[in-house]
Amino acid sequence: MSLALRVIPCLDVDAGRVVKGVNFENLRDAGDPVELAHRYDAEGADELTFLDVSASSGNRETTYDVVRRTAGEVFVPLTVGGGVRSTDDVDRLLRAGADKVGVNTAAIARPQLIAEIAERFGSQVLVLSVDARRVTGDTRTDSGYEVTTHGGRQGTGIDAVAWAAQAAELGAGEILLNSMDADGTTAGFDLQMLGAVRREVRVPLIASGGAGTPEHFVEAARAGADAVLAASVFHFGALTVGDVKQALRDAGVTVR
């Protein structure tokens, strides 16, 4: 467990630009990734997360270029995810300047990939990204949450809490838990889901999806998050990293 809560702006990058939508739809342009990364570094962000949302092979080089340019400009750890399918992909991203790499879909298809990455590079570079939602219709899981793929559009029927626990056992260094129901809504993190995963997982847990007010970050910290991640509220100027850290301090949460 980390002693100080980390505040992490997230940059969803599509074809070299930062985009943001609601529930992964109606994406709008939020700016240049290098400029935004610079701004968040200056505001006191503890880390930055880059997610290549289109992650097509045609977009790969753009991502490496953005990572290289950003790593040259900022001094906080950089996590990059999206389209990582092999240990060689991880190697290329680390060489481009990433400090950690996020995996999602490829690990669901082949969980052994988690162990392979952890073995080759160490658990500390591996962040498992879990896009989870409450189950609906005929789908049933023990926790009431399922893992989704393709930006939340496809359900897998896999229990999200059990998957997070399995990934941690296989060697994932952190779990980035993103609520697809809350994503981009600014209505607050899914605290119930966060608590359910926290009870089963000992590795650091990053809360993602739904931040709208400083109080939401405080609630996530109290629900067991080791880090809080947000995009819309930072990109469009509703809050600064400093606002969030001050609110956390005022609530008695230790921040960096």
Side-chain angles (χ1 to χ4, degrees):
M1 293 301 160
S2 57
L3 298 174
L5 190 88
R6 289 168 288 149
V7 178
I8 308 174
C10 181
L11 308 176
D12 295 315
V13 180
D14 184 5
R17 297 289 292 177
V18 175
V19 294
K20 193 59 202 167
V22 177
N23 304 127
F24 277 62
E25 289 174 359
N26 304 319
L27 298 179
R28 55 182 176 145
D29 189 279
D32 174 70
V34 183
E35 281 174 25
L36 280 172
H38 216 294
R39 185 175 103 199
Y40 297 139
D41 189 23
E43 280 182 16
D46 297 304
E47 294 181 16
L48 290 170
T49 292
F50 262 57
L51 297 177
D52 177 359
V53 292
S54 41
S56 64
S57 53
N59 209 22
R60 274 291 107 199
E61 262 325 304
T62 310
T63 305
Y64 290 120
D65 178 54
V66 170
V67 171
R68 272 190 288 269
R69 287 190 295 129
T70 306
E73 291 283 330
V74 303
F75 301 100
V76 293
L78 191 56
T79 299
V80 184
V84 175
R85 296 181 182 90
S86 68
T87 56
D88 286 345
D89 289 340
V90 175
D91 188 52
R92 284 193 70 190
L93 283 168
L94 294 175
R95 287 175 191 277
D99 297 282
K100 301 186 220 178
V101 174
V103 294
N104 185 344
T105 309
I108 294 166
R110 199 173 68 82
Q112 194 53 30
L113 177 63
I114 296 170
E116 289 166 10
I117 294 171
E119 209 165 286
R120 183 168 164 188
F121 304 103
S123 289
Q124 78 284 350
V125 307
L126 179 55
V127 179
L128 181 83
S129 187
V130 181
D131 292 337
R133 69 179 179 201
R134 291 169 189 267
V135 292
T136 53
D138 297 330
T139 310
R140 292 280 176 273
T141 66
D142 287 346
S143 69
Y145 294 96
E146 73 168 324
V147 175
T148 68
T149 59
H150 301 82
R153 289 185 292 279
Q154 290 186 21
T156 61
I158 296 168
D159 187 305
V161 176
W163 171 232
Q166 183 190 351
E169 277 182 25
L170 283 167
E174 293 184 75
I175 306 290
L176 168 53
L177 184 65
N178 188 29
S179 165
M180 303 313 295
D181 302 313
D183 179 76
T185 62
T186 67
F189 294 99
D190 188 331
L191 302 175
Q192 216 175 338
M193 181 167 77
L194 199 56
V197 174
R198 175 76 293 164
R199 285 190 288 277
E200 298 300 323
V201 168
R202 292 287 156 263
V203 299
L205 185 56
I206 305 164
S208 169
T213 68
E215 185 56 34
H216 290 153
F217 293 91
V218 174
E219 290 168 355
R222 289 180 176 152
D226 298 280
V228 283
L229 178 144
S232 310
V233 288
F234 293 141
H235 299 341
F236 301 117
L239 294 172
T240 65
V241 173
D243 294 335
V244 171
K245 288 196 166 186
Q246 194 54 55
L248 288 161
R249 279 190 203 99
D250 292 346
V253 179
T254 306
V255 292
R256 292 189 180 181

